[in-house]
Amino acid sequence: MSQNKRRFVAGAKCPKCGATDSIVLFKDNGVETVECVECDYREQQADEKVAKKATGAVIGVFKPD
């Protein structure tokens, strides 16, 4: 079983509990997923919608080799 690589979205605020810097972004079975580490909020959607939902500014994208 492979482990999904999770990235925190800097400055993002959870729409459910309001916690800042608690949103992680990862792929779950090939689907972009956002999840709050503070509450049970989880949303799966297309790549473009995930990027628009993130309320924090994107500083850069880290793509490890």
Side-chain angles (χ1 to χ4, degrees):
M1 180 155 123
S2 66
Q3 186 174 348
N4 291 331
K5 292 188 182 209
R6 294 172 181 247
R7 306 185 300 242
F8 275 92
V9 181
K13 189 179 213 181
C14 176
K16 184 173 182 181
C17 71
T20 304
D21 293 334
S22 65
I23 298 293
V24 290
L25 174 65
F26 61 96
K27 283 208 176 196
D28 186 20
N29 295 320
V31 178
E32 289 279 342
T33 303
V34 290
E35 184 176 86
C36 178
V37 297
E38 298 294 326
C39 71
D40 62 349
Y41 175 76
R42 181 179 175 122
E43 187 172 350
Q44 294 180 323
Q45 50 193 323
D47 292 350
E48 304 83 40
K49 289 183 182 179
V50 170
K52 288 179 184 175
K53 278 275 190 183
T55 58
V58 176
I59 297 170
V61 177
F62 176 69
K63 293 185 178 183
D65 293 322

